Structures are given as structure tokens and as C-alpha cells.
Amino acid sequence: MPFPPSPRARSGPRRRSLLAVGSTALALAGCTAGDEDSGDPGDGPSAADRRARAHAARDSEELAGRYDAVIVAHPGLAERLRPLREEVVRHARAFGGGRKASPSSSASSAPSSPSAPAVPGNDRDALAVLAAAERELADRRAKALIGVPGELARLLASVAAAGAAHVYLLTEGDA
């Protein structure tokens, strides 16, 4: 006679496995901030590719700023959000961005950007705002895949997948 499933059993992937999959996907996609030099000086990235990378890096940097704002406003969420923020900073670097705050540093001050969105007063709403930002960015990156060449498309796909995993982690447990 089989044992009944544990009442504590959760469906879906675990948080740690999603983070590991996201990091592994980036590594397999060739997630580097280096040049795309194929050996021939004429084969470097096109101006359109450089613009797409710069735009993707800025998007990731802005998203990291959103994480910073939430961590400052809700210090109780810092432990949960810090690994996701660190991954977003790695994404910016993979696209060639150069975020000044290191991924291992804590967010000790709120971003000074006047365009930074207001952070909701309660934890649940603050997480929902981050999840919405991650979802919107992942969707835009998935749509951008059509117009970029192979390596950049793979990188965008990997980062979009990581963003989708972040959405799940940010909304996990919400009903």
C-alpha cells in the first residue's frame, strides 16, 4: 500500500533549483561581457547589436535599481531579494553594462533617480511591483529575439528565462 503524499509537499520547482537553473542557463549561453570577436576585425558586432546590448544592460541596471529601492524600503525582504538582485546585476554585466554597485554589496541607500518608481508600503505589494517589472522586461526581451543575431539572441533568451523564474520566486506563496 503506497504512502499518501506529505501534506507539506509543494508542487512546482523549488527556489534553489530555479536559481541554479537560471545561473546555469546564463553560463551555457555564453554569458560574458567580452567582445564577440570571431577573429576577423570586420566581423565584430554591428552597431545595431551594440545598441541592443546597451539597451538590455540599461534595462537590467534600472531593474537592479528597483530592487535597491524595495530593499531599502523593506529591509525584511533583503535576504529574499538580494540573490535576485545580484543575478540582475550579472545580467547587466553580461550585456556589457557596468553597474557601479557590486552584486555582493548591500543596498545601503535608495536610488537617487527621479524616475525610480515609488515603493508600496507593504511587502506583498512591493514584491508584486518587482514581479511586474521582471515580467514586463522578460516579455520585451523575448519579443526582441527575432531581430538579433545568434549569440545575442541566446543571451536574451537566457536572461528572459531567468526573469520569468524571478517572477515565480517573487510571487511564490501568493494566492
Side-chain angles (χ1 to χ4, degrees):
M1 179 165 138
F3 291 106
S6 168
R8 292 181 39 204
R10 295 174 18 188
S11 64
R14 299 265 190 248
R15 181 177 301 171
R16 287 183 184 156
S17 62
L18 281 172
L19 286 173
V21 168
S23 297
T24 303
L26 288 174
L28 291 175
C31 182
T32 64
D35 291 337
E36 297 175 0
D37 189 11
S38 63
D40 183 359
D43 288 339
S46 71
D49 294 349
R50 287 190 300 274
R51 282 191 305 274
R53 281 182 173 273
H55 185 59
R58 270 192 315 275
D59 286 344
S60 290
E61 290 168 351
E62 289 173 10
L63 184 58
R66 287 176 180 251
Y67 274 94
D68 290 342
V70 171
I71 290 170
V72 168
H74 300 277
L77 294 174
E79 185 176 332
R80 179 177 180 182
L81 297 179
R82 196 165 285 118
L84 301 177
R85 182 211 177 267
E86 290 173 359
E87 192 165 278
V88 169
V89 171
R90 283 191 297 271
H91 297 164
R93 288 185 179 149
F95 288 118
R99 186 150 173 89
K100 297 197 186 323
S102 80
S104 61
S105 70
S106 64
S108 58
S109 62
S112 59
S113 170
S115 64
V119 177
N122 67 57
D123 290 359
R124 183 181 177 124
D125 290 345
L127 292 173
V129 166
L130 278 177
E134 285 272 16
R135 183 179 297 115
E136 188 270 333
L137 185 53
D139 290 348
R140 276 194 325 201
R141 285 177 170 161
K143 289 176 185 171
L145 292 173
I146 296 170
V148 296
E151 181 184 337
L152 182 53
R154 285 188 296 274
L155 181 56
L156 280 170
S158 293
V159 174
H166 289 183
V167 171
Y168 174 80
L169 294 172
L170 290 166
T171 59
E172 179 181 318
D174 293 345

